[in-house]
Amino acid sequence: NNTNISTEILNKELTLNEINNTNVSNFDLIKENDIVLLKTSISSCCIKIKKNLKFNCKDGYFPHELFIGKPFGSKIYSANNEGLIYALYPTPELMTSGALKHSTQIIYTPDISFISIQLFLKPGSIVAEAGTGSGSLSMSIARTIAPTGHLHTFEFNQNRAQLAKELFEFHNLTDVVSVKHKDVCSDGFDLQQSFVDAVFLDMPSPWLALKNADFILKAGGRICTFSPCIEQVQQTCDLLRKYHYRDILTVECLARPFELQKRKVQTIYNYVNHNDKNSKKVKNQQNKNELKEQIIDINNNNDNDKDKDNNN
């Protein structure tokens, strides 16, 4: 498993002897023309490994020869010993979390995972996407449906469509992804009837594209729309019912990380609810009783001392 090997190597620095003794295949070693995601101390980016080139950043300069032959996930120290970076395999998750340039608001991993499951995506699926944007979801879909599937993605903004095309060419995904500059709401998807297994719509008015999406979708196929406002969701769902779609589901994905904090906790014996007057009275009464007990003990001790003196 490529991810497990990368994770293991990421957590410790391997010497050349350890690399030779580790179960790492040639596929896991960085070669010339490979795409590598570099995680620096302040950011992440992707480069294509070429001999006689070097990568410069705040952590130093790194000739590309330093990467060749190293496993994905390795620490790479700069040639001038100013710092180090990590050479990682460019998974869609890592691309989304930092290395992807944002030309629009992107879809993040929790939503991407749920969308992929609900669209029943698998190797060989044919998918149409409207609203390519920065390509975050497109890269995840491409990995899921490869090698025999295909993603037809459409972007109405010409500049963003060109940037997405260059992104997929850089990552060698042109066999799986086709980018077209087109407004699917007015011009349609330019695909045959009942051609795709799933349709994804990420646009301000997805209901305007539903008629054209319904035309290219196979019987039993699935449609997913991504909208930030509940009014958009309601209008889309109303039109889906008119087109006789069933099992319509609206979901919000929330990921909440756990945070660990150290706090001092009062015990039940010294805890006082300062907003409760009764609790204050009870506490004051307890203090008075304790004080009385101390006075009684002192008096008893004094009486015992007097008795001893009298006996003497």
Side-chain angles (χ1 to χ4, degrees), residues 5-257:
I5 293 176
S6 297
T7 303
E8 177 188 351
I9 298 173
L10 179 62
N11 290 330
K12 62 178 182 179
E13 181 186 359
L14 297 183
T15 64
L16 290 177
N17 291 331
E18 289 174 325
I19 291 176
N20 293 332
N21 295 328
T22 304
N23 185 21
V24 179
S25 66
N26 290 333
F27 179 79
D28 302 305
L29 299 178
I30 300 173
K31 303 179 291 295
E32 189 174 11
N33 296 320
D34 278 350
I35 307 297
V36 180
L37 189 148
L38 303 181
K39 186 173 181 60
T40 70
S41 59
I42 57 175
S43 62
S44 300
C45 65
C46 288
I47 64 170
K48 181 173 286 189
I49 300 299
K50 294 284 187 181
K51 291 182 178 179
N52 302 323
L53 294 180
K54 64 180 181 179
F55 173 75
N56 295 286
C57 67
K58 183 180 179 180
D59 301 303
Y61 72 92
F62 301 82
H64 285 203
E65 286 80 3
L66 294 177
F67 300 95
I68 297 176
K70 301 290 182 60
F72 282 102
S74 298
K75 289 180 181 178
I76 308 296
Y77 289 87
S78 64
N80 54 357
N81 294 321
E82 289 186 1
L84 61 89
I85 59 177
Y86 293 101
L88 307 177
Y89 189 82
T91 64
E93 292 79 13
L94 290 176
M95 292 289 297
T96 298
S97 63
L100 195 65
K101 294 181 180 179
H102 294 192
S103 58
T104 60
Q105 178 66 33
I106 67 171
I107 300 177
Y108 288 95
T109 304
D111 292 314
I112 291 175
S113 303
F114 191 80
I115 290 167
S116 300
I117 292 173
Q118 292 299 318
L119 289 179
F120 295 169
L121 300 184
K122 61 184 183 300
S125 296
I126 307 298
V127 185
E129 177 191 25
T132 310
S134 302
S136 172
L137 177 64
S138 304
M139 295 193 69
S140 292
I141 292 177
R143 180 185 60 179
T144 303
I145 65 178
T148 55
H150 200 87
L151 170 64
H152 300 269
T153 182
F154 301 83
E155 174 60 51
F156 80 96
N157 183 284
Q158 187 172 4
N159 184 44
R160 289 200 293 264
Q162 182 60 33
L163 291 175
K165 187 176 181 180
E166 294 172 359
L167 174 69
F168 301 137
E169 289 175 352
F170 181 79
H171 287 274
N172 302 317
L173 295 174
T174 52
D175 292 339
V176 186
V177 183
S178 298
V179 184
K180 294 182 181 179
H181 169 231
K182 199 177 187 66
D183 185 355
V184 298
C185 295
S186 57
D187 302 329
F189 286 86
D190 195 24
L191 297 173
Q192 299 176 3
Q193 184 176 5
S194 302
F195 180 71
V196 302
D197 301 294
V199 175
F200 177 77
L201 305 176
D202 183 9
M203 55 181 60
S205 305
W207 57 89
L208 298 179
L210 281 182
K211 182 178 180 180
N212 295 326
D214 182 69
F215 177 79
I216 65 172
L217 188 63
K218 294 179 182 179
R222 297 174 76 87
I223 289 181
C224 177
T225 67
F226 189 82
S227 301
C229 300
I230 193 63
E231 292 82 7
Q232 296 168 300
V233 174
Q234 185 175 0
Q235 194 162 349
T236 303
C237 292
D238 290 340
L239 191 56
L240 283 170
R241 294 186 185 94
K242 291 182 180 179
Y243 282 111
H244 306 292
Y245 280 83
R246 301 183 62 182
D247 300 328
I248 299 174
L249 180 66
T250 302
V251 176
E252 180 182 14
C253 293
L254 297 175
R256 188 185 70 175

Side-chain angles (χ1 to χ4, degrees), residues 257-268:
F258 281 81
E259 296 182 0
L260 298 179
Q261 297 180 352
K262 291 184 177 181
R263 293 183 178 179
K264 293 183 178 179
V265 180
Q266 291 181 324
T267 65
I268 191 172

